[in-house]
Amino acid sequence: MDSKFYDFLLASGKTETTANTYKYLFDRHLNINVMDFGKVKDLLISSKTPLSERHILKALLINYYAFIENTELTERLKGLKVVFKSEERDIEFSKEEIEKVIAVAKYPWNLMIRIFWETGLRKSILLNMTPANIKMKDNAIHVPKMFPGNKAKIKFNVVLTDKTFAALLDYIKAKRTGTNSKVFGALFKNSKYFLQLTNNMLIYFAKKACIENYKQFTPHSIRHSHATYYLEFGGKIESLSFELGHKDIRHTQRYTRKKNTQLLQDHKNIKW
């Protein structure tokens, strides 16, 4: 990616994390002639392009065309609907499939996947978690109102099983993670592309575990899987709404005041 385009992204209001993600995807995918709309369209609807990257690539290219002041391609791309195949919508994985991935994943990636599975946390929340977010009393991770990835801007807790919570504490102790340092920060060696690298690693482990839809094995699909499993096996929707950090007035606003004690009990009743 041209440094001038990178500066343009920052000047237009994009955060440094977003600009770095764009740079990563630009360098990875855009080895085509981006002035050829046919090739751009093929890239955005190709099954070879991971679902988690298609809409980001579209937004990236819209910004690029604005940067080079090509109004025609900007408007054509805005009108392009990035269609997902019906079987690719809201991909969910069974407990057995997730356990298979955990079994082949290297440490501490297996711990990270386990936490995604048990909590349904958004990727950016877990990857920005520090020891200061750990609540020893409740085996929980506390998410403040103003925290990266907390879209609803409400404080909430997610509960871990005793085994996973102990493993998390052991990892923090072994890494001697400072109170305000990212728990999984050492995995990325200060890489600017840690969000996308997480997706890539999970897809790699899912492929290694011979999961059918391995390209869709991302923190987002695990979040969907967590929610479905939670409800199917006895969890209450009120507790789930609180745990997922939802604040949609049409669907979940009335459930966000669920007490932590009830959340703890509901979560422990489910065999993760």
Side-chain angles (χ1 to χ4, degrees), residues 90-95 97-98 116-117 120 216-232 272:
D90 295 335
I91 288 290
E92 295 175 358
F93 297 92
S94 67
K95 178 182 178 181
E97 288 176 313
I98 291 173
F116 278 132
W117 166 234
Q216 283 77 56
F217 193 84
T218 63
H220 184 71
S221 62
I222 298 174
R223 180 177 167 87
H224 275 279
S225 305
H226 166 89
T228 298
Y229 185 84
Y230 191 102
L231 293 175
E232 286 182 353
W272 295 100

Side-chain angles (χ1 to χ4, degrees), residues 31-43:
N31 53 355
I32 60 172
N33 179 7
V34 294
M35 305 307 290
D36 185 331
F37 189 76
K39 291 183 178 180
V40 168
K41 181 178 179 181
D42 289 342
L43 173 68

Side-chain angles (χ1 to χ4, degrees), residues 21-36:
T21 300
Y22 279 5
K23 184 178 187 306
Y24 174 85
L25 293 177
F26 192 100
D27 295 341
R28 182 183 180 189
H29 288 294
L30 299 182
N31 53 355
I32 60 172
N33 179 7
V34 294
M35 305 307 290
D36 185 331

Side-chain angles (χ1 to χ4, degrees), residues 200-217:
N200 294 346
M201 289 303 296
L202 265 59
I203 290 170
Y204 167 77
F205 291 128
K207 182 178 181 180
K208 192 174 180 180
C210 300
I211 302 301
E212 183 178 356
N213 294 306
Y214 70 88
K215 288 184 179 180
Q216 283 77 56
F217 193 84

Side-chain angles (χ1 to χ4, degrees), residues 60-73:
L60 162 60
L61 284 164
I62 287 174
N63 278 278
Y64 182 73
Y65 291 146
F67 168 66
I68 62 175
E69 299 181 346
N70 191 316
T71 306
E72 180 186 351
L73 286 178

